[in-house]
Amino acid sequence: MRQMKQSMGWKHQVIPGHMLAFLALMIMHQEETKAMAAEIEVVDGPNDEGEMFTRPGKLSDRFPQPYANEQAARYANGGAYPPDLSLITKARHNGQNYVFSLLTGYRDPPAGVSIREGLHYNPYFPGGAIAMPKMLMDGAVEYEDGTPATEAQMGKDVASFLSWAAEPEMEERKLMGVKWIFLLSLALLQAAYYRRMKWSIFKSRKLVLDVVN
């Protein structure tokens, strides 16, 4: 919960175009999410005159797209088209650790390894060469609660956020599972008690066979 709030806060500082127009009410209070969503300008329309207009964001709005189209996305990322990362923690083995290692694993290439211009060396990425530059730097953001903005802390926050994005209903599903286990346990106890009452007379009775010669 704490990491989710932190990740929401610093994403808003670094990449406002990626900020959610709606946030899960399980993460923050509804008033907090409404206030954060209202800080984002959302394109809506058309109006009565047939023109598009901007308005403050609402919780029911969709994620704003960071780029207008694929060409703009490739141009801004050195020719590479950014993938959809909303399911990255589910698509990779040990997903959260993979994301954390990838974000914090940028290194200088070792001796004998050459990296093509425009790529960056990262041993946690398949092939070791990745187009995405290093995104996390110590002190790049400021946490509202005074948490030190270290590279590792920001990496944990990003991994936690992407894990939630992949399964936003996970907490609700687990809570529902606990409720069902409780109800089934009561039903099992009731069934066991009824069985004992119903069949105890048959188990405790004694049959006497009187054979008449």
Side-chain angles (χ1 to χ4, degrees), residues 186-198:
L186 293 180
L188 179 62
L189 291 175
Q190 185 177 9
Y193 181 72
Y194 176 79
R195 178 182 178 278
R196 184 177 180 83
M197 286 183 55
K198 184 71 175 179

Side-chain angles (χ1 to χ4, degrees), residues 10-114:
W10 76 255
K11 282 181 177 60
H12 190 274
Q13 298 177 43
V14 179
I15 39 177
H18 288 70
M19 185 59 192
L20 303 181
F22 68 93
L23 304 172
L25 298 182
M26 70 176 71
I27 299 175
M28 298 180 181
H29 296 297
Q30 187 172 7
E31 294 304 320
E32 290 180 301
T33 58
K34 285 183 177 180
M36 293 186 68
E39 296 176 4
I40 308 301
E41 292 293 327
V42 177
V43 178
D44 200 354
N47 56 18
D48 295 338
E49 300 177 355
E51 298 180 352
M52 304 299 288
F53 61 92
T54 59
R55 59 166 176 77
K58 299 184 297 185
L59 294 179
S60 57
D61 290 329
R62 299 177 64 87
F63 285 84
Q65 297 297 323
Y67 304 105
N69 48 57
E70 180 179 342
Q71 288 73 18
R74 290 186 180 276
Y75 179 79
N77 291 274
Y81 185 56
D84 181 4
L85 297 178
S86 60
L87 296 176
I88 189 65
T89 58
K90 299 290 291 182
R92 296 291 186 273
H93 174 67
N94 204 6
Q96 287 198 54
N97 288 333
Y98 168 78
V99 171
F100 175 81
S101 299
L102 183 69
L103 291 174
T104 60
Y106 286 85
R107 306 285 189 274
D108 293 329
V113 176
S114 59

Side-chain angles (χ1 to χ4, degrees), residues 10 104 136-141 143 147-157:
W10 76 255
T104 60
L136 305 181
M137 303 290 181
D138 290 341
V141 299
Y143 287 107
T147 301
T150 62
E151 180 181 346
Q153 179 64 56
M154 291 184 286
K156 291 178 181 178
D157 292 339

Side-chain angles (χ1 to χ4, degrees), residues 117-137:
E117 184 180 357
L119 299 180
H120 309 272
Y121 179 72
N122 191 318
Y124 298 99
F125 188 76
I130 184 173
M132 182 181 73
K134 183 176 181 178
M135 305 300 295
L136 305 181
M137 303 290 181

